Amino acid sequence: MTELAAVKAALKTQAVETPSWAYGNSGTRFKVFAQAGVPRDPFEKLDDAAKVHEFTGAAPTVALHIPWDRVGDYAALAQHAEDRGVRIGAINSNTFQDDDYRLGSICHPDPAVRRKAVDHLLECVDIMDATGSHDLKLWFADGTNYPGQDDIRARQDRLAEGLAEVYERLGDGQRMLLEYKLFEPAFYTTDVPDWGTAYAHCLKLGEKAQVVVDTGHHAPGTNIEFIVATLLREGRLGGFDFNSRFYADDDLMVGAADPFQLFRIMYEVVRGGGFTSDVAFMLDQCHNIEAKIPAIIRSVMNVQEATAKALLVDGTALAAAQGAGDVLEANSVLMDAYNTDVRPLLREVREESGLDPEPMKAYRASGWGEKVVAERVGGEQAGWGA
């Protein structure tokens, strides 16, 4: 197989998971701008997600968020997804919206609140069983706002205890993916603030526990690709929440703010074997002013482009330059790959896969956007927190 053929073959296997909540109305804390045709329930979210996969060929799974996507029959929801050519992906828990969680959830000083939070996580594992999902994704808003508000070490003990109970509930082939976030909504301490804290808990739990890297959850200037490389080296990179940030956790479209960073991350993924392993590549974005399905299609394409460039890095030339201590040549090898226009290559990959070479144009020509605007009248639109 030629080098170019190998790159094409790898790209044809790429899968980017899309989040159910991105198809509903979502936005900033200032305002959520409602859009016509937005799904009214999880079944319609899956309908939209299926369209993204239909035109990109690279979005076969859809992440759910509980309770936002709670239904009476999860087997029926999974069947609905399958009927439309997609599958249920990660089950995301929600321990940050109830009033009881004002002082935390799994780390709360009150045992009754902790019990409520853990029971919700166990419910999410039940939903995994019912839908065939392999991943339980956990993000905790737990933390404190003021020095002395709570015992920092005790909160870590509570976190470890709760995670251990949920971990024991996992079945064969299921994983716990622990996400971290620098700050927000807690401003003094966050109970899972960085990859090191998440990694420490996962290491103690066992091999089924792995770390999720949200590209928006870091301090300015953080070298995210170093974190990715380290977690891959340790066999603990469970997945990504892809998005872009300018200031904090902006949840903009992946590759929008710094496409070079996305390339650097994907290079480390390719270099570390993450592209051919079970690392989950998921979008976690909010589309407040742009049309939702086109934004998600564009996001999938952005990940594809960064991956194609990463796959085109001349590993032999790079290793030679690094071994010789030729700083500029080594950098040049990376930059040559990054500066390659891979759009023609990706058009070829799509055509060879029986897809339209231009997903955005194909979606617009399909009339799906106009169809759902006409049909989804009445009821209550899905939105952030619903």
Side-chain angles (χ1 to χ4, degrees):
M1 184 181 293
T2 66
E3 182 178 347
L4 184 59
V7 170
K8 285 184 174 182
L11 289 170
K12 290 174 183 177
T13 68
Q14 185 165 34
V16 180
E17 186 162 302
T18 68
S20 69
W21 53 96
Y23 296 98
N25 288 319
S26 60
T28 67
R29 289 152 189 80
F30 167 70
K31 171 67 175 175
V32 174
F33 297 104
Q35 297 183 19
V38 164
R40 295 162 295 183
D41 57 44
F43 293 89
E44 291 183 346
K45 291 178 183 179
L46 291 174
D47 293 341
D48 285 355
K51 288 298 171 181
V52 173
H53 184 49
E54 177 183 337
F55 293 110
T56 65
T61 58
V62 187
L64 301 185
H65 207 297
I66 307 300
W68 302 347
D69 294 318
R70 187 174 279 149
V71 296
D73 188 340
Y74 289 102
L77 187 66
Q79 185 62 54
H80 184 82
E82 186 177 336
D83 290 344
R84 279 146 185 78
V86 292
R87 303 185 311 278
I88 302 299
I91 304 300
N92 292 252
S93 62
N94 183 319
T95 55
F96 53 85
Q97 287 195 296
D98 289 1
D99 287 343
D100 285 344
Y101 299 143
R102 181 171 61 91
L103 300 179
S105 63
I106 196 172
C107 302
H108 199 287
D110 185 342
V113 176
R114 296 201 299 274
R115 184 69 258 159
K116 173 181 176 177
V118 171
D119 284 346
H120 168 66
L121 303 184
L122 295 173
E123 175 200 5
C124 288
V125 181
D126 291 339
I127 295 171
M128 292 170 66
D129 293 340
T131 60
S133 169
H134 301 296
D135 293 338
L136 171 67
K137 190 143 70 65
L138 308 177
W139 173 73
F140 299 105
D142 293 36
T144 64
N145 280 0
Y146 297 98
Q149 176 182 324
D150 201 358
D151 188 311
I152 294 175
R153 179 166 175 169
R155 293 181 73 90
Q156 289 296 308
D157 290 340
R158 298 167 200 155
L159 175 63
E161 181 181 356
L163 290 176
E165 181 177 347
V166 179
Y167 185 87
E168 289 303 315
R169 169 64 181 81
L170 295 174
D172 293 338
Q174 294 180 338
R175 301 186 299 173
M176 172 188 291
L177 304 182
L178 182 58
E179 189 175 348
Y180 59 90
K181 187 175 185 178
L182 174 67
F183 79 102
E184 193 188 44
F187 294 110
Y188 174 61
T189 63
T190 301
D191 290 313
V192 190
D194 51 41
W195 72 273
T197 304
Y199 173 69
H201 282 283
C202 289
L203 197 63
K204 188 172 183 179
L205 288 166
E207 293 183 357
K208 291 182 180 179
Q210 297 184 311
V211 180
V212 169
V213 176
D214 185 305
T215 49
H217 286 188
H218 304 82
T222 298
N223 190 316
I224 299 175
E225 56 266 34
F226 173 83
I227 298 171
V228 170
T230 301
L231 289 172
L232 276 169
R233 182 175 180 269
E234 298 298 319
R236 291 288 175 163
L237 180 64
F240 288 94
D241 275 3
F242 278 132
N243 52 55
S244 282
R245 49 156 290 175
F246 281 98
Y247 299 107
D249 181 22
D250 302 323
D251 281 341
L252 301 174
M253 285 171 46
V254 60
D258 188 353
F260 185 45
Q261 179 191 65
L262 181 58
F263 160 76
R264 299 194 310 266
I265 290 170
M266 291 310 301
Y267 170 71
E268 292 301 335
V269 169
V270 171
R271 164 70 179 82
F275 190 63
T276 56
S277 69
D278 58 356
V279 174
F281 302 96
M282 197 195 84
L283 304 178
D284 183 15
Q285 305 173 167
C286 104
H287 306 291
N288 195 27
I289 60 174
E290 65 269 38
K292 299 179 189 306
I293 297 177
I296 297 171
I297 290 175
R298 176 67 62 81
S299 298
V300 172
M301 293 171 66
N302 286 351
V303 176
Q304 288 179 308
E305 289 181 16
T307 304
K309 293 180 179 185
L311 289 166
L312 288 173
V313 172
D314 188 334
T316 302
L318 182 60
Q322 291 171 339
D326 192 335
V327 176
L328 293 180
E329 178 59 22
N331 176 252
S332 179
V333 172
L334 274 183
M335 294 308 298
D336 283 346
Y338 175 68
N339 288 321
T340 302
D341 183 358
V342 296
R343 291 173 297 177
L345 171 63
L346 285 165
R347 284 194 286 268
E348 289 181 19
V349 167
R350 294 184 190 109
E351 287 181 323
E352 291 173 6
S353 300
L355 300 169
D356 191 292
E358 298 288 352
M360 292 288 285
K361 291 180 180 178
Y363 169 73
R364 292 194 180 102
S366 74
W368 180 259
E370 295 78 8
K371 180 178 184 293
V372 295
V373 167
E375 292 181 351
R376 294 174 184 172
V377 178
E380 185 175 347
Q381 289 187 322
W384 190 91

